[in-house]
Amino acid sequence: SQMVISVGSLPLIARITGSVTRKQSTRSALALDASVSRDPDVDAAAEQGLAFVWACSLSDGTSSQACRDTSGALLVLSAASTLQVPAGTLPATTDAAYQFTVTVSKVGKSPAAYTLSLTL
């Protein structure tokens, strides 16, 4: 008699350290860290082999637009596990929140995303 065992793979886990919602001063540099994202099929201490893509939008609850810096240029974001936005880059908002999303991907797996809401 034979037994067939099928082993499935678990989905990727995207995370940004800290609270899901934050309030921060425009005079402070913004540092977001998604290095805690992982592939649960790989030992946590091992290299995860993930690719990171960051996106930013400004949302007032009904509409959303791409993030722009204080000069009006589109915000350029890194493709690393951490994102650094220098102090004074983003204009302050009162009626809308910045939505920073990290999407993690890996060959052979579906991407996973995590969004953090930030008010300046």
Side-chain angles (χ1 to χ4, degrees):
S1 122
Q2 291 185 354
M3 179 187 303
V4 176
I5 298 175
S6 296
V7 178
S9 68
L10 295 169
L12 296 176
I13 300 170
R15 291 287 180 270
I16 300 171
T17 57
S19 174
V20 174
T21 58
R22 296 185 193 175
K23 186 164 178 69
Q24 183 165 330
S25 168
T26 58
R27 294 184 301 258
S28 299
L30 173 63
L32 300 178
D33 183 357
S35 64
V36 294
S37 299
R38 60 185 299 261
D39 179 349
D41 292 328
V42 175
D43 186 296
E47 170 60 42
Q48 298 294 301
L50 300 175
F52 297 83
V53 175
W54 290 90
C56 178
S57 62
L58 188 60
S59 175
D60 64 6
T62 56
S63 66
S64 182
Q65 59 185 321
C67 293
R68 296 185 178 273
D69 64 22
T70 52
S71 73
L74 284 174
L75 190 63
V76 177
L77 305 174
S78 70
S81 63
T82 58
L83 175 66
Q84 304 286 331
V85 180
T89 300
L90 295 171
T93 64
T94 54
D95 57 348
Y98 289 98
Q99 305 290 320
F100 283 91
T101 301
V102 64
T103 301
V104 295
S105 59
K106 184 175 185 177
V107 173
K109 293 211 168 192
S110 295
Y114 186 87
T115 300
L116 176 140
S117 181
L118 177 72
T119 304
L120 298 175

